[in-house]
Structure formats: C-alpha cells, structure tokens
Amino acid sequence: MPRLEDAQQTLLPSTSNIKQRTQSAWDSFSDFALRDNVLEVAVGLILAAAFTTVVSSFVSDIILPPISLLPFFNRNLDEKFAVLRKGPEYERRGYNTLKQALDDGAVVMAYGAFLSKIVRFMVVAITLFVIARVYGWAANDSVIKKQVKCKRKLMLNRG
C-alpha cells in the first residue's frame, strides 16, 4: 500500500507544473487583452453602441413622426397584414389587429412590420450619410471616400 510521503513526492512536481501553466496562460491572456488595438476596439464598440441608441432615438422620435404624416404612410405601419388563411373566429368578428389574427390561429403575412423595418433602415442610412457629410464639411476631413474602380473594368466598359 502506498505511503503518504510517496504521494506527496509525486504530487509536488505536478502542482508546480500547474502553477507554471496557469501563470503562462494568465500572461498570454493579459498580453492579448491589454494590447492597444484590443482596447481601442473595445472602446470603439462601446461608443458605437451608444451612438446607435442616439441615432435610433433621433430617427424614431424626430424623423419618423413627420414622415408618418405623409398620406401613403400610416402611423401604425407595423399593424398592416394580409390574412393568408382564416382562423375559426374570422367569420364572426374579423381581425382588427395582427395580434387578434395570430391569437385566432390565422396564417398572416405581416408585410407592415417588414416595410416599417425597411423604412427605418433607409431613414437611418440617410441620416448617417447626412451626419457624415456635415462632419466632413465642418472638419475638412471626409468620412465618405470615393470608390476606387478597377482599371481593367473601366477599359472593358470603354472598348
């Protein structure tokens, strides 16, 4: 039967090996995490998230309400839907909202939610474009770069 002293002699080298590996892994992680570009990316992502909420609020609260006054847009664009297959309660009461149709088990195409997301995307894209143009004008530093076209493609279009 092995003795306690024998077990301690066997375990001592393995614990020092574990300490070395742990220290090496920690050093590698800290070298990676504390490099300049990783910190810059982290700060950039945090600022981008904050900027996203500001732009989203600007679009939702300032830009979209006047757009919803246009005759071809509706304030409740998200509620527009088409019934593809009626539910059991349709004949008795019909559907006034998308939630009613879904609760009744109807198959619906919620095209209003899709159109709303497209409009929101376009308004955000145009707003960011205008912000980039104003920044470029004010700071004399163009954020919007010209597209470089391939010379071969240009030659093919001419010939």
Side-chain angles (χ1 to χ4, degrees), residues 8 16 19 30 36 54 59 61 77 93 96 101 111 123 155:
Q8 284 180 338
S16 66
K19 286 181 183 178
S30 63
D36 290 341
V54 169
V59 168
D61 302 333
L77 188 61
R93 62 181 180 162
N96 292 327
Y111 66 89
V123 170
M155 288 180 181

Side-chain angles (χ1 to χ4, degrees), residues 55 59 63-64 67 73 114-130:
V55 169
V59 168
I63 302 290
L64 284 179
I67 289 176
F73 282 116
F114 178 70
L115 290 176
S116 176
K117 287 180 176 85
I118 288 176
V119 168
R120 191 172 301 270
F121 170 76
M122 293 302 294
V123 170
V124 167
I126 291 169
T127 303
L128 287 176
F129 177 76
V130 169

Side-chain angles (χ1 to χ4, degrees), residues 11-84:
L11 290 176
L12 284 177
S14 64
T15 57
S16 66
N17 190 18
I18 290 173
K19 286 181 183 178
Q20 283 179 330
R21 286 186 179 182
T22 304
Q23 185 64 38
S24 173
W26 178 254
D27 289 341
S28 296
F29 175 74
S30 63
D31 287 344
F32 168 75
L34 298 177
R35 287 190 311 193
D36 290 341
N37 57 353
V38 172
L39 291 176
E40 288 173 3
V41 168
V43 169
L45 288 174
I46 292 168
L47 287 174
F51 186 71
T52 300
T53 58
V54 169
V55 169
S56 182
S57 174
F58 177 70
V59 168
S60 297
D61 302 333
I62 307 283
I63 302 290
L64 284 179
I67 289 176
S68 69
L69 296 176
L70 296 173
F72 49 87
F73 282 116
N74 190 349
R75 184 80 172 144
N76 296 329
L77 188 61
D78 290 335
E79 283 293 321
K80 299 296 183 188
F81 63 96
V83 177
L84 301 177

Side-chain angles (χ1 to χ4, degrees), residues 132-147:
R133 285 291 214 176
V134 169
Y135 173 80
W137 173 76
N140 288 330
D141 180 27
S142 180
V143 175
I144 303 168
K145 307 291 182 197
K146 295 265 185 203
Q147 181 180 0

Side-chain angles (χ1 to χ4, degrees), residues 86-95 100 103-105:
K86 300 171 185 170
E89 297 292 321
Y90 179 77
E91 299 300 328
R92 191 162 56 97
R93 62 181 180 162
Y95 304 129
Q100 284 178 344
D103 288 345
D104 190 33

